[in-house]
């Protein structure tokens, strides 16, 4: 009998529910691809805290652990390895190291995923007419760009309360085509 693998996905983002539920927003998006094969999702607050939880929390029997954090930079294969090595070097004694099979990046932030589908913003009455006509992965601070679009639409963008309204509406199959890193995450979670 094959032992069932328990998948756990640690995600950078607040676990506080005062302004909305980020865990539920990510779950709603991921279940479009993963259906009944969903991982347990653990929100880890800031990047340092979530990486610490990912690396040091005792592994459960048959657990396969994954990490999803902001890259805060345009991601290349070289700087992906450099980022992971930097965190691994800071915590040489741990239960789980970051590696290319378990660590995934939101390029540059999860808001880039939202910016890649302006029709979702338009449906939320946020004008995207002034959205730069370039690859959203090149936008240095997607959350700032999203806040600017909200302001131009006489709205206020909040990194949790507005995010959780729009994020689950994203088309996951389109994200997989646009963001190779998101596609890698889905493929890893489907295994």
């Amino acid at each position: 009998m094959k032992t069932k693998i328990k998948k756990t996905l640690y995600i950078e983002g607040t676990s506080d529910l005062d302004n909305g539920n980020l865990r539920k927003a990510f779950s709603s998006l991921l279940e479009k691809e993963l259906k009944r094969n969903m991982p347990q999702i653990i929100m880890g607050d800031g990047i340092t805290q979530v990486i610490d939880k990912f690396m040091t929390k005792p592994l459960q029997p048959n657990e396969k652990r994954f990490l999803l954090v902001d890259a805060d930079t345009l991601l290349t294969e070289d700087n992906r390895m450099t980022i992971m090595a930097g965190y691994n070097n800071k915590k040489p004694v741990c239960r789980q190291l970051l590696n290319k099979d378990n660590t995934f990046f939101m390029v540059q932030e999860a808001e880039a995923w939202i910016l890649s589908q302006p029709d979702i913003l338009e449906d939320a009455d946020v004008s995207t007419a002034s959205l730069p006509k370039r690859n959203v992965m090149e936008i240095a601070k997607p959350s700032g760009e999203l806040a600017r679009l909200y302001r131009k639409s006489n709205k206020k963008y909040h990194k949790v309360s507005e995010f959780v309204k729009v994020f689950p509406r994203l088309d996951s199959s389109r994200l997989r085509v646009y963001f190779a890193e998101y596609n890698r995450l889905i493929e890893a979670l489907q295994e």
Side-chain angles (χ1 to χ4, degrees):
M1 187 168 114
K2 190 176 177 183
T3 306
K4 182 157 172 65
I5 301 295
K6 177 189 188 292
K7 296 175 186 166
T8 308
L9 176 60
Y10 288 79
I11 302 176
E12 176 184 355
T14 185
S15 56
D16 183 13
L17 302 176
D18 287 348
N19 292 306
N21 189 332
L22 285 179
R23 190 191 67 72
K24 185 176 179 187
F26 275 95
S27 181
S28 295
L29 176 65
L30 293 173
E31 69 187 0
K32 293 175 184 179
E33 298 286 342
L34 303 174
K35 313 256 183 299
R36 291 189 172 94
N37 194 21
M38 284 291 291
Q40 176 188 4
I41 295 176
I42 298 173
M43 300 308 295
D45 299 313
I47 193 166
T48 304
Q49 294 89 337
V50 74
I51 290 174
D52 185 63
K53 288 177 185 180
F54 174 84
M55 294 179 85
T56 63
K57 188 174 179 189
L59 284 157
Q60 296 179 12
N62 302 314
E63 178 185 5
K64 192 166 184 181
R65 195 173 281 182
F66 302 91
L67 177 67
L68 179 62
V69 294
D70 290 343
D72 293 325
T73 186
L74 184 60
L75 199 63
T76 65
E77 195 56 38
D78 286 343
N79 67 3
R80 170 204 316 268
M81 301 309 285
T82 302
I83 293 167
M84 289 186 295
Y87 285 111
N88 287 337
N89 292 337
K90 287 180 188 174
K91 202 169 282 297
V93 178
C94 66
R95 292 178 164 83
Q96 179 75 58
L97 289 171
L98 281 64
N99 64 53
K100 66 181 178 64
D101 297 321
N102 66 16
T103 303
F104 304 90
F105 295 95
M106 295 177 269
V107 182
Q108 306 211 20
E109 303 170 301
E111 284 84 357
W113 297 358
I114 295 171
L115 292 173
S116 76
Q117 296 181 19
D119 53 313
I120 301 296
L121 290 169
E122 292 288 344
D123 289 346
D125 295 321
V126 176
S127 173
T128 59
S130 66
L131 183 63
K133 304 291 186 231
R134 66 176 191 249
N135 184 326
V136 298
M137 289 182 260
E138 296 173 1
I139 297 173
K141 190 79 172 148
S143 58
E145 180 62 27
L146 202 50
R148 186 186 68 76
L149 293 175
Y150 269 71
R151 276 192 308 278
K152 286 188 78 87
S153 301
N154 297 314
K155 294 179 165 216
K156 184 175 180 180
Y157 179 70
H158 186 276
K159 280 188 71 77
V160 178
S161 63
E162 287 302 313
F163 182 92
V164 300
K165 291 176 189 173
V166 177
F167 193 74
R169 297 169 59 193
L170 294 173
D171 182 327
S172 183
S173 60
R174 286 171 54 198
L175 287 177
R176 289 184 76 174
V177 171
Y178 197 95
F179 296 96
E181 191 72 2
Y182 179 75
N183 188 55
R184 279 185 357 92
L185 171 66
I186 296 300
E187 287 177 348
L189 292 172
Q190 286 175 331
E191 288 180 358

